Amino acid sequence: MNTDKLPTRSENYSEWYNQLILRSELADYAPVRGCMVVRPYGWALWENIQGALDKRFKETGHSNAAFPLFIPMSFLEKEKEHVEGFSPELAIVTIGGGEKLEEPLVVRPTSETIIGYMYSKWIKSYRDLPVLINQWGNVVRWEMRTRLFLRTLEFYWQEGHTAHATAEEAVDETVRMLNVYTDFAVNEAAVPVIPGRKSETEKFAGASDSYTIEAMMGDTRALQAGTSHFLGQNFAKAFDIQFLDPGNQLQHCWTTSWGLSTRFIGAIIMTHGDDQGLVLPPRLAPIQVVIVPIFRNDDEQAKVMPVAEALNRQLSQFRVKLDTRSEVTPGFKFNDWEMRGVPLRIEIGPKDIDNGVVTVARRHTPGKAGKSTLPLGDEIAAQVQAVLDEIQAAMLEKARNFRDAHIHEPKDYEEMKQIVQDGWALAYWCGRTECEARVKEDTKATTRCIPLDQPEGQGECIVCGQPAKKKVYFARAY
RNA sequence: CGGGGUGUAGCGCAGUUGGCAGCGCACCGCGUUUGGGACGCGGGGGUCGGCGGUUCAAGUCCGCCCACCCCGACCA
């Protein structure tokens, strides 16, 4: 076990991130470059993310299904922008069972094409619509530069694919699912994302419009934490997804797709983590409460352990762990569980038992300020629930304050160049690609999103000074 | 693909003039410890990235290859 301190975020943010993932056992490097193994602790976190999202998908009328990993190469080529966007990063199978394949198979980078193909078989009538399907799975994109969780060659995600009779319905669906992601991010992960629309250059290959939730990481860089795309009739036309409307007219469907991946784990790490390690939101943490018994000798052990075990049972409604390891000291355990981000630690020793209490330590509030005592007794589970709720709320508020403290509205282009070095700039933008490109050239910052909750305004583009109606966030991104 | 770098125990590294393969952490055993990262003693673990060459002798010198990392380019 590595007992050295982590690098601090200020001395080396990316080393802090990498080492924290390895040491907390969320994930490990696989033998293939750019691939990761999601370890049990990381997968448990992902399962909790899945559960929170899947519930919301079901509540909004979606069903899960599973489509194949392999896609005929020709499918990708049917939608021009789609193939242009994805061809540089495809993994392609050319041999199967020792025989050269008639047609190469792409390992799916995303499933619009194969699902579009199936939808064209299934959809004949307006009565078949809407089709609302989600799939949980893995995809492969041969990225050049990879980072654990943020950008790996293979990653796990969900991808929703829907087909509708009208553009309005499809747009509504796109925005509905963006709102589902926002609700999940804010209320489950305590990640205060900003929902908005992507610019033409930043949108998904093949989409008419892409929407995103953008999150600010602890180094102020932006992370696209989930996306929802209005695909127009692009894929419906490429794959002949057609239906007869009530007037017996043949029409193309309007489709959407939306996805959120294991990248979101990176968002949680970098939104809440501190120099001591992970800080996980109670609603998603694989272990919500850890109980650390403390004793010096057999007599004290005999006194403490039955109480600790009884408490463990009393808290069975939570994801609770009783740390019975005898080979490490309590001090080691405190640091160990803090590094792993467990939201609430309960210490129970002879002194506590004498006083009829347990000591609780809140992960998100380091040191003595986060410690208090709770009386042992029938009320303890309700009190623990209250503390977890309080932690969840405090984490969201802290992240929101950090975000808002690093968003500025520049008065001119010079000021904007300064702002994006350590924050996000919110400014009017004329909508032209040239202005985006100039900002990227000058600062490495890109447009992140055009936030949805803004009134139509009148302003001047921060770059060129021409009339602009909408503000956009500029930031350096992962 | 261009520039730079690194490959020696699970991890981090040392290895001098070519001459027995080492150190710290981790791991295993025993004992003492245990309210904020304990300590002692004992122990296990190696294709020195690969192939070839020079040599009595190669981790060390030479050649070729491979992998990975950093910067750039590229990119949901």
Side-chain angles (χ1 to χ4, degrees), chain A residues 1 33 141 144-145 157 224 295-296 329-331 334-335 338 345 347 349-352 371 444:
Chain A
M1 219 169 292
R33 177 194 75 86
R141 299 180 187 179
M144 306 194 93
R145 280 177 66 68
W157 74 343
Q224 181 175 304
F295 48 82
R296 289 172 213 276
T329 63
F334 296 166
N335 285 286
E338 281 171 10
R345 179 180 72 239
E347 303 168 15
K351 289 181 220 163
D352 298 302
K371 281 201 177 189
K444 292 190 172 175

Coordinates of all heavy atoms in Angstrom, one line a residue, chain A residues 1 33 141 144-145 157 224 295-296 329-331 334-335 338 345 347 349-352 371 444, chain B residues 1 10-11 25-28 33-38 67-76:
Chain A
M1 N 0.8 -1.2 0.0 CA 0.0 0.0 0.0 C 0.9 1.2 0.0 O 1.9 1.3 0.7 CB -0.9 0.0 1.2 CG -2.3 0.5 0.9 SD -3.4 0.1 2.3 CE -3.5 -1.6 2.3
R33 N -2.4 0.3 -24.9 CA -2.3 1.7 -24.7 C -3.7 2.3 -24.8 O -4.5 2.0 -25.6 CB -1.5 2.3 -25.8 CG -1.5 3.9 -25.8 CD -0.9 4.5 -27.1 NE -1.9 4.4 -28.2 CZ -2.9 5.3 -28.4 NH1 -3.0 6.4 -27.6 NH2 -3.7 5.2 -29.4
R141 N -13.2 4.2 -29.6 CA -12.7 5.3 -30.5 C -11.2 5.4 -30.3 O -10.7 5.6 -29.2 CB -13.4 6.7 -30.1 CG -14.9 6.6 -30.2 CD -15.6 7.9 -29.8 NE -17.0 7.7 -29.9 CZ -17.9 8.6 -29.6 NH1 -17.5 9.8 -29.2 NH2 -19.2 8.4 -29.6
M144 N -5.9 9.6 -30.0 CA -4.5 9.7 -30.0 C -3.9 10.0 -28.5 O -3.0 9.3 -28.1 CB -4.0 10.9 -30.9 CG -4.6 10.7 -32.3 SD -3.7 11.8 -33.4 CE -2.5 10.7 -34.0
R145 N -4.6 10.9 -27.9 CA -4.1 11.1 -26.5 C -5.2 10.7 -25.5 O -6.3 11.2 -25.6 CB -3.8 12.6 -26.3 CG -2.4 12.9 -26.8 CD -2.0 14.4 -26.7 NE -1.9 14.8 -25.3 CZ -1.0 14.4 -24.4 NH1 -0.1 13.6 -24.8 NH2 -0.9 14.9 -23.2
W157 N -20.8 3.5 -21.7 CA -21.7 4.6 -21.7 C -23.1 4.0 -21.9 O -23.4 2.8 -21.9 CB -21.4 5.6 -22.8 CG -21.7 5.2 -24.2 CD1 -21.9 3.9 -24.7 CD2 -21.8 6.0 -25.3 NE1 -22.1 3.9 -26.0 CE2 -22.0 5.2 -26.5 CE3 -21.6 7.4 -25.5 CZ2 -22.2 5.7 -27.7 CZ3 -21.8 7.9 -26.8 CH2 -22.0 7.1 -27.9
Q224 N -17.1 18.3 -21.1 CA -18.4 18.0 -21.7 C -18.8 16.7 -21.0 O -18.3 15.6 -21.2 CB -18.3 17.8 -23.2 CG -19.6 17.4 -23.9 CD -19.4 17.4 -25.4 OE1 -18.9 18.3 -26.0 NE2 -19.7 16.3 -26.0
F295 N -9.5 0.5 19.3 CA -9.2 -0.1 20.6 C -7.7 -0.4 20.8 O -7.0 -0.5 19.8 CB -10.0 -1.4 20.8 CG -10.0 -2.3 19.6 CD1 -8.9 -3.2 19.4 CD2 -11.0 -2.3 18.6 CE1 -8.8 -4.0 18.3 CE2 -10.9 -3.1 17.5 CZ -9.8 -4.0 17.4
R296 N -7.3 -0.5 22.1 CA -5.8 -0.7 22.3 C -5.5 -2.1 22.7 O -4.4 -2.5 22.7 CB -5.4 0.2 23.4 CG -5.3 1.6 23.2 CD -4.9 2.4 24.5 NE -5.6 3.7 24.5 CZ -5.0 4.8 23.9 NH1 -3.8 4.7 23.3 NH2 -5.6 5.9 24.0
T329 N -3.4 0.7 11.5 CA -3.9 1.5 12.6 C -5.1 2.4 12.2 O -5.4 2.6 11.1 CB -2.8 2.5 13.1 OG1 -2.5 3.4 12.0 CG2 -1.5 1.8 13.5
P330 N -5.9 2.9 13.3 CA -7.0 3.8 12.9 C -6.5 5.0 12.1 O -7.2 5.4 11.2 CB -7.5 4.2 14.3 CG -7.1 3.0 15.2 CD -5.8 2.5 14.7
G331 N -5.4 5.5 12.5 CA -4.9 6.7 11.7 C -4.7 6.4 10.3 O -5.1 7.2 9.4
F334 N -8.2 6.3 8.7 CA -8.8 7.6 8.4 C -8.3 8.1 7.1 O -9.1 8.6 6.2 CB -8.4 8.6 9.5 CG -8.9 8.2 10.9 CD1 -8.4 8.9 12.0 CD2 -9.9 7.3 11.1 CE1 -8.9 8.5 13.3 CE2 -10.4 6.9 12.3 CZ -9.8 7.6 13.5
N335 N -7.0 8.1 6.9 CA -6.4 8.6 5.7 C -6.8 7.8 4.5 O -7.1 8.4 3.4 CB -4.9 8.7 5.8 CG -4.4 9.8 6.6 OD1 -4.5 10.9 6.3 ND2 -4.0 9.5 7.9
E338 N -10.5 8.5 3.6 CA -10.6 9.9 3.0 C -10.1 9.9 1.6 O -10.7 10.5 0.7 CB -9.8 10.9 3.9 CG -10.5 11.2 5.2 CD -9.7 12.0 6.2 OE1 -8.6 12.5 5.9 OE2 -10.2 12.2 7.3
R345 N -17.5 9.2 7.9 CA -16.8 8.2 8.7 C -17.3 8.2 10.1 O -17.5 9.3 10.7 CB -15.3 8.5 8.7 CG -14.5 7.5 9.5 CD -13.0 7.8 9.5 NE -12.7 9.0 10.3 CZ -12.1 10.0 9.8 NH1 -11.8 10.1 8.5 NH2 -11.8 11.1 10.5
E347 N -16.3 7.0 13.8 CA -15.3 6.5 14.7 C -16.0 6.0 16.0 O -16.8 6.7 16.5 CB -14.2 7.5 15.0 CG -13.6 8.2 13.8 CD -12.8 9.4 14.1 OE1 -12.5 9.6 15.3 OE2 -12.5 10.2 13.2
G349 N -14.8 4.3 19.7 CA -13.8 3.8 20.6 C -14.3 3.8 22.0 O -15.5 4.2 22.2
P350 N -13.5 3.4 22.9 CA -13.9 3.3 24.3 C -14.5 4.6 24.9 O -15.5 4.6 25.6 CB -12.6 3.0 25.1 CG -11.7 2.4 24.0 CD -12.1 3.0 22.7
K351 N -13.8 5.8 24.5 CA -14.3 7.1 25.0 C -15.7 7.4 24.5 O -16.6 7.9 25.3 CB -13.4 8.2 24.6 CG -12.0 8.2 25.2 CD -11.2 9.4 24.7 CE -9.8 9.0 24.4 NZ -9.1 10.0 23.5
D352 N -16.0 7.0 23.2 CA -17.3 7.3 22.7 C -18.3 6.5 23.4 O -19.4 6.9 23.8 CB -17.3 6.9 21.2 CG -16.4 7.8 20.4 OD1 -16.5 9.0 20.4 OD2 -15.5 7.2 19.8
K371 N -16.1 17.4 12.2 CA -16.4 16.3 13.2 C -17.4 16.7 14.1 O -17.5 17.9 14.6 CB -15.1 16.0 13.9 CG -14.1 15.1 13.2 CD -13.2 14.4 14.2 CE -12.2 13.5 13.4 NZ -11.5 12.6 14.4
K444 N -6.3 28.9 -26.9 CA -6.6 27.4 -26.8 C -8.0 27.2 -26.2 O -8.4 26.1 -26.0 CB -5.6 26.7 -25.9 CG -4.2 26.6 -26.5 CD -3.3 25.6 -25.7 CE -2.1 25.4 -26.5 NZ -1.1 24.6 -25.7
Chain B
rC1 P 4.3 6.1 -38.4 OP1 3.1 5.6 -38.9 OP2 5.6 5.6 -38.9 O5' 4.4 7.7 -38.5 C5' 4.5 8.3 -39.7 C4' 4.6 9.8 -39.6 O4' 3.3 10.3 -38.9 C3' 5.6 10.4 -38.7 O3' 6.9 10.4 -39.3 C2' 5.1 11.7 -38.4 O2' 5.3 12.6 -39.4 C1' 3.6 11.5 -38.2 N1 3.2 11.3 -36.8 C2 3.0 12.5 -36.1 O2 3.3 13.6 -36.6 N3 2.7 12.4 -34.8 C4 2.4 11.2 -34.2 N4 2.1 11.2 -32.9 C5 2.6 10.0 -35.0 C6 2.9 10.1 -36.2
rG10 P 7.7 -7.8 -10.8 OP1 7.2 -9.2 -10.3 OP2 8.1 -7.6 -12.2 O5' 6.5 -6.8 -10.4 C5' 5.2 -6.9 -11.0 C4' 4.3 -5.9 -10.3 O4' 4.2 -6.4 -8.9 C3' 4.8 -4.5 -10.2 O3' 4.4 -3.8 -11.3 C2' 4.2 -4.0 -8.9 O2' 2.9 -3.6 -9.0 C1' 4.3 -5.3 -8.0 N9 5.5 -5.4 -7.3 C8 6.4 -6.5 -7.3 N7 7.4 -6.4 -6.5 C5 7.2 -5.1 -5.9 C6 7.9 -4.5 -4.8 O6 9.0 -4.9 -4.3 N1 7.4 -3.3 -4.5 C2 6.2 -2.8 -5.0 N2 5.8 -1.6 -4.5 N3 5.5 -3.4 -5.9 C4 6.0 -4.6 -6.3
rC11 P 5.3 -2.7 -12.0 OP1 4.7 -2.3 -13.3 OP2 6.7 -3.3 -12.1 O5' 5.3 -1.5 -11.0 C5' 4.2 -0.7 -10.8 C4' 4.4 0.3 -9.8 O4' 4.7 -0.3 -8.5 C3' 5.7 1.2 -10.0 O3' 5.5 2.2 -10.9 C2' 6.0 1.6 -8.6 O2' 5.1 2.7 -8.2 C1' 5.6 0.4 -7.7 N1 6.8 -0.5 -7.5 C2 7.8 -0.1 -6.6 O2 7.6 1.0 -5.9 N3 8.8 -0.9 -6.3 C4 9.0 -2.0 -7.0 N4 10.1 -2.7 -6.8 C5 8.1 -2.4 -8.0 C6 7.0 -1.6 -8.3
rC25 P 11.4 0.8 3.6 OP1 11.1 1.3 5.0 OP2 11.9 -0.6 3.5 O5' 10.1 0.9 2.7 C5' 9.3 2.0 2.8 C4' 8.2 2.0 1.6 O4' 8.9 1.8 0.4 C3' 7.2 0.9 1.7 O3' 6.2 1.1 2.6 C2' 6.8 0.8 0.2 O2' 5.9 1.9 0.0 C1' 8.1 1.1 -0.5 N1 8.7 -0.1 -0.9 C2 8.2 -0.8 -2.0 O2 7.3 -0.3 -2.6 N3 8.8 -2.0 -2.4 C4 9.8 -2.5 -1.7 N4 10.3 -3.6 -2.1 C5 10.4 -1.8 -0.6 C6 9.8 -0.7 -0.2
rA26 P 5.5 -0.2 3.3 OP1 4.4 0.3 4.2 OP2 6.6 -1.0 3.9 O5' 4.9 -1.0 2.1 C5' 3.7 -0.6 1.4 C4' 3.4 -1.5 0.3 O4' 4.5 -1.5 -0.6 C3' 3.2 -3.0 0.7 O3' 1.9 -3.2 1.1 C2' 3.5 -3.7 -0.7 O2' 2.4 -3.5 -1.6 C1' 4.7 -2.9 -1.2 N9 5.9 -3.4 -0.7 C8 6.7 -3.0 0.3 N7 7.8 -3.7 0.5 C5 7.7 -4.7 -0.4 C6 8.5 -5.8 -0.7 N6 9.6 -6.1 -0.1 N1 8.1 -6.7 -1.7 C2 6.9 -6.4 -2.3 N3 6.1 -5.4 -2.2 C4 6.5 -4.6 -1.2
rC27 P 1.6 -4.3 2.3 OP1 0.1 -4.3 2.5 OP2 2.5 -4.0 3.4 O5' 2.0 -5.6 1.6 C5' 1.3 -6.2 0.5 C4' 1.9 -7.5 0.0 O4' 3.3 -7.2 -0.4 C3' 2.1 -8.5 1.2 O3' 0.9 -9.2 1.4 C2' 3.2 -9.4 0.6 O2' 2.7 -10.2 -0.4 C1' 4.1 -8.3 -0.1 N1 5.2 -7.8 0.8 C2 6.3 -8.6 0.9 O2 6.4 -9.7 0.4 N3 7.3 -8.2 1.7 C4 7.3 -7.0 2.3 N4 8.3 -6.6 3.1 C5 6.1 -6.1 2.2 C6 5.1 -6.6 1.4
rC28 P 0.6 -9.6 2.9 OP1 -0.8 -10.0 2.9 OP2 1.0 -8.5 3.9 O5' 1.5 -10.8 3.2 C5' 1.3 -12.1 2.5 C4' 2.3 -13.1 3.0 O4' 3.7 -12.6 2.6 C3' 2.5 -13.2 4.5 O3' 1.5 -14.0 5.1 C2' 3.9 -13.8 4.6 O2' 3.9 -15.2 4.3 C1' 4.6 -13.0 3.5 N1 5.3 -11.8 4.1 C2 6.5 -11.9 4.7 O2 7.0 -13.0 4.9 N3 7.1 -10.8 5.2 C4 6.6 -9.6 5.0 N4 7.2 -8.5 5.5 C5 5.3 -9.4 4.4 C6 4.7 -10.5 3.9
rU33 P 2.2 -4.1 23.6 OP1 2.3 -3.4 24.9 OP2 1.1 -4.9 23.3 O5' 2.4 -3.0 22.5 C5' 1.4 -2.1 22.2 C4' 1.8 -1.3 21.0 O4' 2.1 -2.1 19.9 C3' 0.7 -0.4 20.4 O3' 0.6 0.8 21.1 C2' 1.0 -0.3 19.0 O2' 2.0 0.7 18.8 C1' 1.7 -1.6 18.7 N1 0.7 -2.6 18.1 C2 0.2 -2.3 16.8 O2 0.5 -1.3 16.2 N3 -0.6 -3.3 16.3 C4 -1.0 -4.5 17.0 O4 -1.8 -5.2 16.4 C5 -0.4 -4.7 18.3 C6 0.4 -3.7 18.8
rU34 P -0.8 1.4 21.7 OP1 -0.5 2.6 22.4 OP2 -1.5 0.2 22.3 O5' -1.6 1.7 20.3 C5' -1.1 2.6 19.3 C4' -1.9 2.6 18.1 O4' -2.0 1.2 17.6 C3' -3.4 3.0 18.3 O3' -3.8 3.7 17.2 C2' -4.1 1.7 18.5 O2' -5.5 1.8 18.1 C1' -3.3 0.8 17.5 N1 -3.5 -0.6 17.8 C2 -4.0 -1.4 16.9 O2 -4.4 -1.0 15.8 N3 -4.1 -2.8 17.3 C4 -3.8 -3.3 18.5 O4 -3.9 -4.5 18.6 C5 -3.2 -2.4 19.4 C6 -3.1 -1.1 19.1
rG35 P -3.6 5.3 17.0 OP1 -2.7 5.4 15.9 OP2 -3.2 5.9 18.3 O5' -5.0 5.9 16.5 C5' -6.1 5.9 17.4 C4' -6.7 7.3 17.4 O4' -8.0 7.2 17.9 C3' -6.0 8.4 18.2 O3' -6.1 9.6 17.5 C2' -6.7 8.4 19.5 O2' -6.7 9.6 20.2 C1' -8.2 8.1 19.0 N9 -9.1 7.5 19.9 C8 -8.8 6.7 21.0 N7 -9.9 6.3 21.7 C5 -10.9 6.9 20.9 C6 -12.3 6.8 21.1 O6 -13.0 6.2 21.9 N1 -13.0 7.5 20.1 C2 -12.4 8.2 19.0 N2 -13.2 8.8 18.2 N3 -11.1 8.3 18.9 C4 -10.4 7.6 19.8
rG36 P -4.9 10.3 16.7 OP1 -3.6 9.8 17.2 OP2 -5.2 11.7 16.7 O5' -5.2 9.6 15.3 C5' -4.3 8.7 14.7 C4' -3.7 9.3 13.5 O4' -4.8 9.7 12.6 C3' -2.9 10.6 13.7 O3' -1.8 10.6 12.7 C2' -3.8 11.7 13.5 O2' -3.2 12.9 13.0 C1' -4.7 11.1 12.4 N9 -6.0 11.6 12.3 C8 -6.9 11.9 13.3 N7 -8.0 12.3 12.9 C5 -8.0 12.3 11.6 C6 -8.9 12.6 10.6 O6 -10.1 13.0 10.7 N1 -8.4 12.4 9.3 C2 -7.2 11.9 9.0 N2 -6.9 11.8 7.7 N3 -6.3 11.6 9.9 C4 -6.7 11.8 11.1
rG37 P -0.6 9.6 12.9 OP1 -0.4 9.0 14.2 OP2 0.5 10.4 12.2 O5' -1.0 8.4 11.9 C5' -1.4 8.7 10.6 C4' -1.2 7.4 9.8 O4' -1.5 7.7 8.4 C3' 0.3 6.9 9.8 O3' 0.2 5.5 9.6 C2' 0.8 7.6 8.5 O2' 1.9 6.9 7.9 C1' -0.4 7.5 7.6 N9 -0.5 8.5 6.5 C8 0.0 9.8 6.4 N7 -0.3 10.4 5.3 C5 -1.1 9.4 4.6 C6 -1.8 9.5 3.4 O6 -1.8 10.4 2.6 N1 -2.5 8.3 3.1 C2 -2.5 7.2 4.0 N2 -3.2 6.2 3.6 N3 -1.9 7.2 5.1 C4 -1.2 8.3 5.4
rA38 P 0.6 4.6 10.8 OP1 0.7 3.2 10.3 OP2 -0.2 5.0 11.9 O5' 2.1 5.1 11.2 C5' 3.2 4.3 11.1 C4' 3.8 4.1 12.4 O4' 2.8 3.3 13.2 C3' 5.0 3.2 12.4 O3' 6.2 4.0 12.2 C2' 5.0 2.6 13.8 O2' 5.5 3.4 14.8 C1' 3.5 2.4 14.0 N9 3.0 1.0 13.7 C8 2.2 0.6 12.7 N7 1.9 -0.7 12.7 C5 2.6 -1.1 13.8 C6 2.7 -2.4 14.3 N6 2.1 -3.5 13.8 N1 3.5 -2.6 15.4 C2 4.1 -1.5 15.9 N3 4.1 -0.2 15.5 C4 3.3 -0.1 14.4
rA67 P 5.4 -1.0 -31.2 OP1 4.1 -1.4 -31.7 OP2 6.2 0.1 -31.7 O5' 5.4 -0.9 -29.6 C5' 4.8 -1.9 -28.8 C4' 5.1 -1.6 -27.3 O4' 6.5 -1.6 -27.1 C3' 4.7 -0.2 -26.9 O3' 3.3 -0.1 -26.6 C2' 5.6 0.0 -25.6 O2' 5.0 -0.7 -24.5 C1' 6.8 -0.7 -26.1 N9 7.8 0.3 -26.7 C8 8.0 0.6 -28.0 N7 9.0 1.5 -28.2 C5 9.4 1.8 -27.0 C6 10.3 2.7 -26.5 N6 11.1 3.5 -27.3 N1 10.5 2.8 -25.1 C2 9.7 2.1 -24.3 N3 8.8 1.2 -24.7 C4 8.7 1.1 -26.0
rC68 P 2.5 1.3 -26.8 OP1 1.1 1.0 -26.7 OP2 3.0 1.9 -28.1 O5' 2.9 2.1 -25.6 C5' 2.6 1.7 -24.3 C4' 3.4 2.5 -23.3 O4' 4.8 2.2 -23.6 C3' 3.3 4.0 -23.3 O3' 2.2 4.5 -22.6 C2' 4.6 4.4 -22.6 O2' 4.6 4.2 -21.2 C1' 5.6 3.4 -23.2 N1 6.3 3.8 -24.4 C2 7.4 4.7 -24.2 O2 7.8 4.9 -23.1 N3 8.1 5.1 -25.3 C4 7.7 4.8 -26.5 N4 8.4 5.3 -27.6 C5 6.6 4.0 -26.7 C6 5.9 3.5 -25.7
rC69 P 1.6 5.9 -23.0 OP1 0.3 6.0 -22.3 OP2 1.7 6.0 -24.5 O5' 2.6 6.9 -22.4 C5' 2.8 7.0 -21.0 C4' 3.8 8.0 -20.6 O4' 5.1 7.5 -21.2 C3' 3.7 9.4 -21.2 O3' 2.8 10.2 -20.5 C2' 5.1 9.9 -21.2 O2' 5.5 10.3 -19.9 C1' 5.9 8.6 -21.6 N1 6.2 8.5 -23.0 C2 7.2 9.3 -23.5 O2 7.9 10.0 -22.8 N3 7.5 9.2 -24.9 C4 6.8 8.4 -25.7 N4 7.1 8.4 -26.9 C5 5.7 7.6 -25.2 C6 5.4 7.7 -23.8
rC70 P 1.9 11.3 -21.3 OP1 0.9 11.8 -20.3 OP2 1.5 10.8 -22.6 O5' 3.0 12.4 -21.5 C5' 3.6 13.1 -20.4 C4' 4.6 14.1 -20.9 O4' 5.7 13.3 -21.5 C3' 4.2 15.0 -22.0 O3' 3.4 16.1 -21.5 C2' 5.5 15.4 -22.6 O2' 6.2 16.4 -21.8 C1' 6.2 14.1 -22.6 N1 6.1 13.3 -23.8 C2 6.9 13.7 -24.9 O2 7.7 14.6 -24.8 N3 6.8 13.0 -26.1 C4 6.0 12.0 -26.2 N4 5.9 11.3 -27.3 C5 5.1 11.6 -25.1 C6 5.2 12.3 -23.9
rC71 P 2.3 16.8 -22.4 OP1 1.6 17.8 -21.6 OP2 1.5 15.7 -23.1 O5' 3.2 17.6 -23.5 C5' 4.0 18.7 -23.2 C4' 4.7 19.2 -24.4 O4' 5.6 18.1 -24.9 C3' 3.8 19.4 -25.6 O3' 3.1 20.7 -25.5 C2' 4.9 19.4 -26.7 O2' 5.7 20.6 -26.8 C1' 5.7 18.2 -26.3 N1 5.3 17.0 -26.9 C2 5.7 16.7 -28.2 O2 6.4 17.5 -28.8 N3 5.3 15.5 -28.8 C4 4.5 14.7 -28.1 N4 4.2 13.6 -28.7 C5 4.1 14.9 -26.8 C6 4.5 16.1 -26.2
rG72 P 1.7 20.8 -26.3 OP1 1.3 22.2 -26.0 OP2 0.8 19.7 -25.9 O5' 2.1 20.6 -27.8 C5' 2.7 21.7 -28.5 C4' 3.1 21.2 -29.9 O4' 3.8 20.0 -29.9 C3' 1.9 20.9 -30.9 O3' 1.3 22.1 -31.4 C2' 2.6 20.1 -31.9 O2' 3.4 20.9 -32.8 C1' 3.6 19.3 -31.1 N9 3.1 17.9 -30.8 C8 2.6 17.4 -29.7 N7 2.2 16.2 -29.8 C5 2.5 15.8 -31.1 C6 2.3 14.6 -31.8 O6 1.9 13.6 -31.4 N1 2.8 14.7 -33.1 C2 3.3 15.9 -33.7 N2 3.7 15.8 -35.0 N3 3.5 17.0 -33.0 C4 3.1 16.9 -31.8
rA73 P -0.3 22.1 -31.6 OP1 -0.6 23.5 -32.1 OP2 -1.0 21.5 -30.5 O5' -0.4 21.1 -32.9 C5' 0.0 21.5 -34.2 C4' -0.1 20.3 -35.1 O4' 0.7 19.2 -34.6 C3' -1.5 19.7 -35.2 O3' -2.3 20.4 -36.2 C2' -1.2 18.3 -35.6 O2' -0.9 18.2 -37.0 C1' 0.1 18.0 -34.9 N9 -0.2 17.4 -33.6 C8 -0.3 18.0 -32.3 N7 -0.6 17.2 -31.4 C5 -0.8 15.9 -32.0 C6 -1.2 14.7 -31.5 N6 -1.4 14.4 -30.3 N1 -1.3 13.7 -32.4 C2 -1.1 13.9 -33.7 N3 -0.7 15.1 -34.3 C4 -0.6 16.1 -33.4
rC74 P -3.9 20.6 -35.8 OP1 -4.4 21.3 -37.0 OP2 -4.0 21.3 -34.5 O5' -4.5 19.2 -35.7 C5' -4.6 18.4 -36.8 C4' -5.1 17.0 -36.4 O4' -4.2 16.4 -35.5 C3' -6.4 17.0 -35.7 O3' -7.5 17.0 -36.6 C2' -6.4 15.7 -34.9 O2' -6.6 14.6 -35.8 C1' -4.9 15.6 -34.5 N1 -4.6 16.2 -33.2 C2 -4.8 15.3 -32.1 O2 -5.1 14.2 -32.3 N3 -4.6 15.8 -30.8 C4 -4.3 17.1 -30.7 N4 -4.1 17.5 -29.4 C5 -4.1 18.0 -31.8 C6 -4.3 17.5 -33.0
rC75 P -8.8 17.9 -36.1 OP1 -9.8 17.9 -37.3 OP2 -8.5 19.1 -35.5 O5' -9.5 16.9 -35.0 C5' -9.9 15.6 -35.3 C4' -10.3 14.9 -34.0 O4' -9.2 14.9 -33.2 C3' -11.4 15.6 -33.2 O3' -12.7 15.3 -33.6 C2' -11.1 15.1 -31.8 O2' -11.7 13.8 -31.6 C1' -9.6 15.0 -31.8 N1 -8.9 16.1 -31.2 C2 -8.7 16.1 -29.8 O2 -9.1 15.1 -29.2 N3 -8.0 17.1 -29.2 C4 -7.6 18.1 -29.9 N4 -6.9 19.1 -29.3 C5 -7.7 18.1 -31.4 C6 -8.4 17.1 -31.9
rA76 P -13.9 16.3 -33.6 OP1 -14.9 15.8 -34.5 OP2 -13.4 17.6 -33.9 O5' -14.3 16.3 -32.1 C5' -15.5 15.6 -31.8 C4' -15.7 15.9 -30.3 O4' -17.0 15.4 -29.9 C3' -14.7 15.2 -29.4 O3' -14.3 16.2 -28.4 C2' -15.5 14.1 -28.7 O2' -15.1 13.9 -27.4 C1' -16.9 14.7 -28.7 N9 -17.9 13.7 -28.6 C8 -18.4 12.9 -29.6 N7 -19.4 12.1 -29.1 C5 -19.4 12.4 -27.8 C6 -20.2 11.8 -26.8 N6 -21.1 10.9 -26.9 N1 -20.1 12.3 -25.5 C2 -19.2 13.3 -25.3 N3 -18.4 13.9 -26.2 C4 -18.6 13.4 -27.4

